[in-house]
Amino acid sequence: MPILYTAHGHATGGRSGHGVANDGALDVTLTTPKELGGDGAEGTNPEQLFAVGYSACFLGALKAVAGKQKVKIPEDAKVHADVGIGPREDGTGFGIEVKLSVELPGIERELAEQLIAAAHIVCPYSHAMRTA
């Protein structure tokens, strides 16, 4: 696969630390949620970052597949991602589950479902979740 873009970032302190992108555009305090044993301090966590990244990427994929079909995705379209984390059933670590919800106001349900199915093929996050 030819790489078109590579993002660079680093984290220190693990789940309770600091994360920065190489260009400084992203600079976040990382905190562990109370549900995972943290103190719930102000900040973000890897699951929230994944949810926002997946949502943005999936909406971009929707726009790409819709554009090929000459369908305009409305400006107020939204993709919600619920990212859950928990112990894997095999007891060897943790896994994540993602539920996407898509709002496409003004687009008929059948067409919306076709676009969503096509976007899952195009979106690299969806691909990574299938092959993980």
Side-chain angles (χ1 to χ4, degrees), residues 46-83:
E47 293 73 35
Q48 289 173 326
L49 294 169
F50 190 84
V52 171
Y54 197 163
S55 295
C57 189
F58 195 81
L59 186 51
L62 269 171
K63 289 180 177 184
V65 298
K68 288 182 180 180
Q69 296 183 33
K70 306 292 189 238
V71 175
K72 180 167 178 9
I73 296 296
E75 291 297 319
D76 57 346
K78 290 182 185 172
V79 176
H80 304 268
D82 297 326
V83 176

Side-chain angles (χ1 to χ4, degrees), residues 8-65:
H8 303 278
H10 70 270
T12 57
R15 288 185 158 272
S16 296
H18 190 239
V20 181
N22 69 314
D23 63 1
L26 178 68
D27 188 333
V28 294
T29 298
L30 300 168
T31 61
T32 303
K34 286 183 179 181
E35 297 86 348
L36 295 177
D39 61 9
E42 191 172 318
T44 190
N45 60 64
E47 293 73 35
Q48 289 173 326
L49 294 169
F50 190 84
V52 171
Y54 197 163
S55 295
C57 189
F58 195 81
L59 186 51
L62 269 171
K63 289 180 177 184
V65 298

Side-chain angles (χ1 to χ4, degrees), residues 58-122:
F58 195 81
L59 186 51
L62 269 171
K63 289 180 177 184
V65 298
K68 288 182 180 180
Q69 296 183 33
K70 306 292 189 238
V71 175
K72 180 167 178 9
I73 296 296
E75 291 297 319
D76 57 346
K78 290 182 185 172
V79 176
H80 304 268
D82 297 326
V83 176
I85 182 172
R88 293 193 308 253
E89 290 182 11
D90 64 8
T92 60
F94 286 81
I96 60 171
E97 293 182 354
V98 178
K99 177 186 170 197
L100 294 181
S101 302
V102 180
E103 295 179 31
L104 296 173
I107 295 183
E108 294 179 20
R109 183 175 186 90
E110 185 176 330
L111 176 58
E113 288 175 352
Q114 291 171 0
L115 294 172
I116 290 166
H120 272 299
I121 294 168
V122 171

